[in-house]
Amino acid sequence: NAGVTQTPKFQVLKTGQSMTLQCAQDMNHNSMYWYRQDPGMGLRLIYYSASEGTTDKGEVPNGYNVSRLNKREFSLRLESAAPSQTSVYFCASSVGGSEKLFFGSGTQLSVL
Amino acid sequence: EDKVVQSPLSLVVHEGDTVTLNCSYEVTNFRSLLWYKQEKKAPTFLFMLTSSGIEKKSGRLSSILDKKELFSILNITATQTGDSAVYLCAVEDRTQGAQKLVFGQGTRLTINP
């Protein structure tokens, strides 16, 4: 079982560049999430999608957009990357609620 | 604002020791508290606690919740080097809907042989 798959695993961007982080799950989960993890800050929710066709802002949504392409896929887009967006990004999914999230392996993003 | 605070932030012990990790929280309307283990990359689920005073156990790991005092502890007995990881505590706030967890900073546990 692949579980939650994120691509790419590593990315370096210059300030102002754009990119999309891809996430797919094969567990037939309804809910999907994007988190960022910074040293000493824990995991912070960027955006989530409770079900196909819906998205909502989390704690730190500024500078990001998301698309729930279908039930399996949830992408995160940085339109104009900034150094403050240097972080490790995690995609996660769950059956319905927040309990027992299944996480992807993360994307290490550096913005120079 | 919801808040989750873990302590200690870092802990180094010898193999075989017993450790206790702490998690205190302030949320508007508590629904559940969860513990995750993060070794290299992806956090993995350990426990979910919703009721006060009921211990959850899995092998050498156990956790208990005190809803009156607003904290939880995670105990690991007879620690092994494979227990080295960051342990994350998260709390679900009912008023935020079922979709949002608030995470603590994590406790980095290092087990030396």
Side-chain angles (χ1 to χ4, degrees):
Chain A
N1 284 340
V4 179
T5 303
Q6 284 182 239
T7 56
K9 293 192 186 310
F10 301 94
Q11 184 71 47
V12 178
L13 294 176
K14 294 181 180 178
T15 297
Q17 287 185 317
S18 61
M19 79 160 295
T20 299
L21 279 64
Q22 307 286 353
C23 176
Q25 51 91 9
D26 62 2
M27 296 174 282
N28 201 35
H29 285 171
N30 292 311
S31 301
M32 297 186 73
Y33 313 81
W34 278 103
Y35 285 90
R36 60 178 288 174
Q37 187 174 36
D38 302 296
M41 300 285 289
L43 286 158
R44 291 183 293 170
L45 183 64
I46 304 171
Y47 269 94
Y48 67 95
S49 171
S51 61
E52 186 179 354
T54 68
T55 61
D56 208 344
K57 295 178 180 179
E59 183 184 353
V60 288
N62 291 344
Y64 305 95
N65 285 303
V66 292
S67 295
R68 183 76 182 264
L69 303 169
N70 47 56
K71 191 172 186 178
R72 290 187 63 247
E73 298 173 286
F74 188 39
S75 63
L76 178 72
R77 182 161 179 83
L78 286 69
E79 291 291 350
S80 178
S84 61
Q85 294 178 305
T86 294
S87 188
V88 179
Y89 291 84
F90 287 99
C91 177
S93 70
S94 67
V95 172
S98 293
E99 62 269 18
K100 202 165 185 178
L101 295 176
F102 291 82
F103 285 87
S105 56
T107 297
Q108 176 81 55
L109 175 67
S110 295
V111 183
L112 306 177
Chain B
E1 185 179 326
D2 295 341
K3 192 174 178 182
V4 178
V5 177
Q6 293 185 243
S7 64
L9 294 180
S10 180
L11 184 59
V12 181
V13 300
H14 290 291
E15 200 167 21
D17 288 350
T18 293
V19 298
T20 298
L21 309 184
N22 303 293
C23 175
S24 63
Y25 61 90
E26 296 174 25
V27 296
T28 305
N29 201 343
F30 178 89
R31 176 170 176 170
S32 64
L33 184 144
L34 300 95
W35 285 96
Y36 286 84
K37 178 182 182 182
Q38 186 175 23
E39 292 181 78
K40 291 180 180 176
K41 280 290 187 182
T44 53
F45 173 82
L46 292 174
F47 298 112
M48 183 175 78
L49 303 109
T50 56
S51 300
S52 202
I54 297 177
E55 186 182 47
K56 292 278 183 97
K57 285 200 76 169
S58 177
R60 297 175 293 102
L61 277 68
S62 64
S63 183
I64 196 161
L65 173 67
D66 186 329
K67 290 170 74 173
K68 183 179 178 184
E69 299 297 330
L70 307 182
F71 77 91
S72 173
I73 60 172
L74 176 68
N75 277 322
I76 308 175
T77 60
T79 53
Q80 302 171 357
T81 55
D83 295 326
S84 294
V86 174
Y87 290 83
L88 299 168
C89 173
V91 173
E92 185 177 9
D93 184 342
R94 191 187 295 268
T95 57
Q96 299 280 354
Q99 313 301 329
K100 296 184 184 181
L101 289 177
V102 179
F103 281 84
Q105 322 94 300
T107 293
R108 181 174 296 278
L109 176 63
T110 302
I111 311 295
N112 287 327

